Amino acid sequence: MGHQKNVTEFVFMGLWTNKEIELLFFVLFLLCYLAVLVGNVLILLTITCSPLIEQPMYYFLGHLSFMDLCYTSTVVPGLIRDLAAARKTISYSSCMTQLFTAHLLAGVEIFILVSMALDRYVAIVKPLHYMAIMNRRKCNLLVVVAWGVGFWHSIALLLMVLRLPFCGPNQIDHYICDVKPLLKLVCKDIHVVSILVIANSGMVVVVIFLVLVASYLLILYHLRTRSSAGRRKALSTCSSHVTVVVLFFVPCIYTYVLPAGSENKDKEISVFYTVVAPMLNPLIYTLRNMEMKIAMQKVWARMSHQ
């Protein structure tokens, strides 16, 4: 290998330096993680064990819950373990694995959210052609595309980081192996790489967010002609989607649009998309959704009778 890579492990500086606060958050994040597991497993069970799976909206929601489960599980168990540990270390290879996996799953999740927006757009703007446009084959294709795009994004990021020399300090000012805190440890000029990271992550997230906002604005525009009952139902569904999109995208944009050297609250803000959003998604989608509640009760009743 032509470049130095003396660093064999990294040390996380974590979210807090105070031990009492760390223990408090150890309990808090443990409860949050359990809530993520329970909430998303419930949604997955409800959708897969009921006729809701036939509807594109719920088919994508099932995939979103699965992504939330996987994504949170690549980040939060390590965070919880480190909060209780005296020394928070991770090997170089584990760090690169976490970087790749977290970006792959987050990339897929973003494109699942795009598919959900597309589904609502077609349902409201072209209701007569809805079943023809959003058939199961197209839904499967959208999920495959989501995985393809997620893989392309994360492999590009990983290959970029693997070529960087880490030879000096190995303390990551974060609780996960992410590209920006890692760039601060590189012992060469990172201007070009920093721009590439912003292009790969930051600008992509901004563009997708703007596309999503535009699609929901178009939906609102088309709802003017609907009856009040139809409008209410569509608004209820779309407001859930918009809440989830904002919760996930706004912290992402804050994190990835600013260059690596700048002083900002990346690690605190990132808690929103690693812990808070996956925990709230099941609540957001079920509390305001009658179909989901009814399906949940039926599945629950069927399981309790067995």
Side-chain angles (χ1 to χ4, degrees):
M1 297 192 62
H3 43 266
Q4 310 145 276
K5 199 166 278 164
N6 303 346
V7 172
T8 54
E9 67 167 16
F10 293 104
V11 179
F12 290 129
M13 285 160 73
L15 281 163
W16 300 276
T17 46
N18 185 317
K19 205 76 207 127
E20 281 80 33
I21 292 177
E22 283 202 329
L23 283 171
L24 170 72
F25 275 92
F26 169 80
V27 176
L28 191 65
F29 282 142
L30 188 61
L31 292 173
C32 286
Y33 185 53
L34 289 173
V36 169
L37 293 180
V38 173
N40 286 294
V41 166
L42 257 177
I43 283 194
L44 267 174
L45 274 176
T46 305
I47 290 170
T48 49
C49 300
S50 73
L52 288 182
I53 188 95
E54 300 304 321
Q55 297 180 41
M57 182 172 103
Y58 295 104
Y59 172 77
F60 290 127
L61 181 55
H63 278 281
L64 186 75
S65 282
F66 179 64
M67 293 328 298
D68 276 339
L69 275 173
C70 297
Y71 178 63
T72 315
S73 297
T74 62
V75 174
V76 181
L79 166 61
I80 293 167
R81 186 196 63 230
D82 286 343
L83 282 170
R87 199 161 178 267
K88 317 170 199 317
T89 58
I90 187 167
S91 71
Y92 178 84
S93 54
S94 298
C95 181
M96 293 303 126
T97 306
Q98 189 184 53
L99 173 75
F100 174 77
T101 314
H103 274 269
L104 168 68
L105 297 170
V108 177
E109 174 145 351
I110 281 173
F111 277 88
I112 297 287
L113 288 169
V114 171
S115 303
M116 291 172 89
L118 178 70
D119 169 68
R120 289 302 83 207
Y121 178 80
V122 175
I124 288 160
V125 178
K126 296 191 184 310
L128 299 176
H129 305 110
Y130 177 64
M131 289 320 287
I133 296 171
M134 297 303 290
N135 58 37
R136 184 44 53 95
R137 199 173 61 82
K138 288 226 184 74
C139 291
N140 288 336
L141 183 66
L142 282 167
V143 171
V144 170
V145 167
W147 277 95
V149 173
F151 180 78
W152 173 80
H153 155 75
S154 48
I155 202 83
L157 207 59
L158 178 69
L159 292 173
M160 199 157 56
V161 175
L162 283 174
R163 295 181 56 206
L164 298 172
F166 296 98
C167 41
N170 65 342
Q171 287 196 316
I172 299 179
D173 186 18
H174 214 295
Y175 58 92
I176 49 171
C177 271
D178 200 4
V179 63
K180 275 180 67 185
L182 279 171
L183 284 182
K184 290 180 184 175
L185 307 181
V186 174
C187 42
K188 73 166 196 179
D189 185 54
I190 57 159
H191 273 94
V192 177
V193 184
S194 197
I195 290 164
L196 288 173
V197 168
I198 291 171
N200 184 340
S201 301
M203 294 330 289
V204 173
V205 174
V206 170
V207 169
I208 293 168
F209 181 63
L210 292 175
V211 167
L212 289 174
V213 169
S215 72
Y216 286 115
L217 287 174
L218 277 169
I219 286 171
L220 277 177
Y221 178 75
H222 279 275
L223 282 176
R224 293 168 313 133
T225 53
R226 289 289 173 89
S227 65
S228 60
R231 197 182 306 151
R232 239 194 332 272
K233 187 170 187 273
L235 276 174
S236 170
T237 308
C238 288
S239 61
S240 304
H241 287 225
V242 171
T243 310
V244 169
V245 164
V246 169
L247 259 178
F248 191 84
F249 274 85
V250 173
C252 269
I253 289 169
Y254 175 86
T255 305
Y256 292 106
V257 167
L258 298 166
S262 55
E263 281 305 313
N264 45 37
K265 298 237 173 286
D266 278 3
K267 59 181 178 181
E268 292 86 355
I269 296 287
S270 68
V271 172
F272 277 99
Y273 56 83
T274 55
V275 184
V276 179
M279 181 179 70
L280 294 180
N281 284 1
L283 287 173
I284 294 165
Y285 282 116
T286 49
L287 286 178
R288 307 188 56 178
N289 190 324
M290 232 25 237
E291 269 182 311
M292 198 70 189
K293 285 182 193 164
I294 293 163
M296 237 174 215
Q297 285 161 0
K298 283 181 181 169
V299 170
W300 200 248
R302 205 183 320 144
M303 286 170 84
S304 56
H305 283 131
Q306 280 174 0

